[in-house]
Amino acid sequence: MTDRTSRVRRVCQDVSAGLVDPASVLRTFTDSLGDDATSAQLEAQARSLGSGLPGVALLFGDCAPPGLRADRVAHRHFTAAVQLLQGGPASDPGLHSGLSGLALSLLLCRGSGSGYGRALQRIDASLGAVVAAVCTSVARDPIGDRARFDAISGLAGVGRYALLRGAPMRDTLVSVLKTLVALGTSRSVDGHHLPGYWTLTRPRGGLVASPRAGNLNLGMSHGIAGPLALLALAHGQGVSVPGQLKTMETLAGVYRDRARVGEHGVFWPDFISWDEWLSGDGDEESGRTAWCYGSLGIASALRLAADATGQEELRLLAHSAVESVVRVPLNRWPVRSAGLCHGWAGALNCLKFFATGPLAEEVNQVRDEIADMVLRLHDEREPFGFGYPDEDGRTTLALPGFLDGAAGVVLALDAYASGSTEAAPWDAALLLA
């Protein structure tokens, strides 16, 4: 065991020790979010996989790494999350923001037993009704809010849970796939052809009134990479609907046709605006370097599409994008936090899937450097070991969850320390497997 691996394991153990008690975690978490958040917002975040207790349960549950597994701890976190769910509306189906995230965590942590069966049945029923309403909304207004289809709150994320759940959610999964295929159809607006998945959501949230002010979001978290990943994963597991393969090819074609070449190689912007889509021009600077946006998340979706379709050109494009990323010195990466979503842990985990093959040497060297970066960010003064800058960059938040918090960092670090390049069960929550 190397010195780096030993330090990583110590950090994993130290951070996990601070996440054991759900009551303490909740107090620290809600205090960190401050007085500006309403009680409903606090409860919604605390019961979500992305930010709250289900993510911590995932860390300690049956899918957790050896040495961190503690079924009773996971159960206490689930119990607290379900109690919070009873106090508020269950209308958000999201994988990282709502019901399907809690369900995915329950499913992964039930192991080979029948635990949480009744809870899953109740959530499945609620999800089926909410998904049906979302699908109806999309059919009525194909150009709208990205939250209807994305990986965080929308159909792509819900569909990943449904695929993992299997038979009990098969009808819901089929509805999701049909809607995602329908969304992939190009639209004519003011005499111009816009690609499917054109959205009225501003880059940083909020809706615009006109498609001309909208954009095509290319990210994994909120853009077309999420639906592409789900369609590919479902196809690879033998679940397909008419037009699914064509939609996958169309979405992958956007990345092929709109790839740009910069100082270090292939990259993509985070968004394509109306003028950029029509002109074919765009921002010469690359987007983020993270799971949520940028080449690492996009390359991951292209890798899955290549696996599902056998189109090696997509795999080559994915490898080209990763090669471009690992050429950039880490001090030039636009990454400032440790988390899975837009931080170092997410980059570390995405690169796991490219750590063998033609880029093995370069990727593994960068993964070592990223692990060192995460270790430097560990701060024993922080309640959960890692602090996260809020949107204004002036405040540090204490977040315990999976996507934006300490639990996700520990899972990524432990996967790195294990030396395994195979998908972990929790990679499903990132649509990486």
Side-chain angles (χ1 to χ4, degrees):
M1 183 181 294
T2 66
D3 179 62
R4 180 188 292 113
T5 301
S6 297
R7 286 185 289 133
V8 165
R9 293 202 183 282
R10 284 198 300 272
V11 167
C12 289
Q13 294 290 347
D14 290 347
V15 173
S16 300
L19 294 169
V20 169
D21 178 40
S24 175
V25 168
L26 274 176
R27 283 195 302 270
T28 302
F29 178 43
T30 53
D31 288 347
S32 174
L33 293 179
D35 298 331
D36 292 338
T38 66
S39 59
Q41 290 171 332
L42 291 172
E43 288 184 357
Q45 290 200 52
R47 68 189 183 222
S48 72
L49 174 63
S51 300
L53 298 178
V56 182
L58 199 60
L59 172 62
F60 290 108
D62 193 62
C63 67
L68 295 178
R69 186 169 298 159
D71 294 344
R72 291 183 180 179
V73 175
H75 182 71
R76 290 200 294 269
H77 282 275
F78 280 132
T79 300
V82 171
Q83 288 174 346
L84 290 172
L85 183 65
Q86 293 170 349
S91 58
D92 184 343
L95 184 59
H96 292 284
S97 58
L99 279 176
S100 59
L102 174 59
L104 181 138
S105 187
L106 286 166
L107 184 61
L108 289 178
C109 291
R110 70 185 299 192
S112 58
S114 59
Y116 308 124
R118 290 183 179 178
L120 285 167
Q121 289 174 3
R122 291 195 294 270
I123 294 175
D124 289 347
S126 296
L127 279 174
V130 176
V131 167
V134 173
C135 292
T136 299
S137 170
V138 171
R140 183 175 60 249
D141 299 305
I143 299 178
D145 190 347
R146 72 187 182 200
R148 300 182 304 174
F149 67 75
D150 71 11
I152 301 297
S153 303
L155 296 178
V158 180
R160 186 62 191 95
Y161 162 67
L163 180 62
L164 187 69
R165 181 75 161 117
M169 287 290 285
R170 182 54 53 87
D171 290 346
T172 298
L173 174 60
V174 168
S175 295
V176 167
L177 296 176
K178 286 181 176 179
T179 299
L180 293 180
V181 166
L183 266 175
T185 304
S186 64
R187 315 287 169 188
S188 179
V189 178
D190 297 340
H192 300 287
H193 288 288
L194 294 181
Y197 291 92
W198 194 262
T199 176
L200 299 181
T201 308
R202 291 188 177 93
R204 296 187 66 83
L207 294 177
V208 298
S210 164
R212 285 180 173 270
N215 61 79
L216 182 66
N217 190 310
L218 300 185
M220 176 67 93
S221 58
H222 293 300
I224 62 173
L228 175 59
L230 175 66
L231 293 170
L233 286 163
H235 183 81
Q237 295 185 33
V239 185
S240 291
V241 298
Q244 186 164 326
L245 189 60
K246 181 180 179 181
T247 300
M248 291 164 55
E249 292 171 345
T250 298
L251 293 175
V254 171
Y255 293 117
R256 181 191 62 238
D257 298 340
R258 296 297 174 131
R260 297 188 170 277
V261 179
E263 176 186 358
H264 297 284
V266 172
F267 72 89
W268 293 274
D270 292 341
F271 313 92
I272 299 177
S273 70
W274 173 280
D275 290 339
E276 289 167 345
W277 179 260
L278 297 184
S279 68
D281 295 329
D283 195 336
E284 293 301 325
E285 295 185 4
S286 63
R288 295 183 185 179
T289 306
W291 169 82
C292 57
Y293 283 104
S295 294
L296 293 180
I298 291 170
S300 299
L302 291 172
R303 169 183 59 82
L304 293 172
D307 290 342
T309 65
Q311 295 184 18
E312 287 305 306
E313 65 169 317
L314 300 182
R315 195 180 314 281
L316 291 174
L317 182 57
H319 280 115
S320 294
V322 171
E323 184 177 19
S324 301
V325 169
V326 298
R327 287 175 177 172
V328 181
L330 259 62
N331 61 11
R332 293 179 57 185
W333 288 30
V335 181
R336 298 292 179 266
S337 66
L340 282 177
C341 186
H342 43 270
W344 292 111
L348 180 68
N349 201 59
C350 286
L351 287 171
K352 172 178 70 178
F353 294 93
F354 297 91
T356 59
L359 299 174
E361 183 176 356
E362 299 95 324
V363 166
N364 284 302
Q365 179 179 336
V366 170
R367 292 188 78 223
D368 289 343
E369 294 173 1
I370 292 174
D372 288 338
M373 188 72 73
V374 179
L375 289 174
R376 285 196 290 272
L377 287 173
H378 177 243
D379 187 345
E380 293 180 353
R381 295 169 298 180
E382 291 291 338
F384 304 134
F386 296 95
Y388 297 87
D390 68 358
E391 290 188 5
D392 63 17
R394 295 192 298 266
T395 305
T396 299
L397 303 176
L399 306 178
F402 175 78
L403 192 62
D404 292 313
V409 178
V410 171
L411 287 167
L413 282 176
D414 190 88
Y416 163 79
S418 74
S420 174
T421 59
E422 299 297 319
W426 53 268
D427 279 314
L430 298 171
L431 279 79
L432 297 179

